[in-house]
Amino acid sequence: MTKQHFIALADWIRCANDGKHHPDIFYERPLIEDIADWLMTQNPRFNRERWLDYVNGKCGPNGGKL
């Protein structure tokens, strides 16, 4: 998977978590962390913490400010 795939997946999760589509579908921490763990196996350059921060709205897709 590429960076674009990781960002697209994170965007989809963020959209699902907005409460308009499927309330709380991905708020389960173990589920999001399991997904992040699996993504680490797909690309050795994957930055797990930055991806989780992006999913949680703490940074932009490249790790910078929103």
Side-chain angles (χ1 to χ4, degrees):
M1 291 178 71
T2 67
K3 181 178 179 178
Q4 289 80 13
H5 293 114
F6 297 137
I7 291 171
L9 178 58
D11 287 339
W12 184 80
I13 292 171
R14 287 176 63 152
C15 182
N17 277 348
D18 71 3
K20 296 176 187 173
H21 299 93
H22 304 285
D24 300 332
I25 191 170
F26 284 103
Y27 278 121
E28 296 286 330
R29 291 305 309 157
L31 177 58
I32 293 174
E33 291 178 7
D34 286 346
I35 292 169
D37 290 344
W38 179 78
L39 292 173
M40 285 178 47
T41 70
Q42 302 305 301
N43 186 324
R45 296 183 57 182
F46 175 70
N47 186 323
R48 182 182 188 275
E49 294 308 313
R50 183 169 63 191
W51 187 83
L52 288 170
D53 285 348
Y54 179 57
V55 167
N56 292 312
K58 295 180 182 176
C59 69
N62 293 319
K65 294 182 181 179
L66 292 175

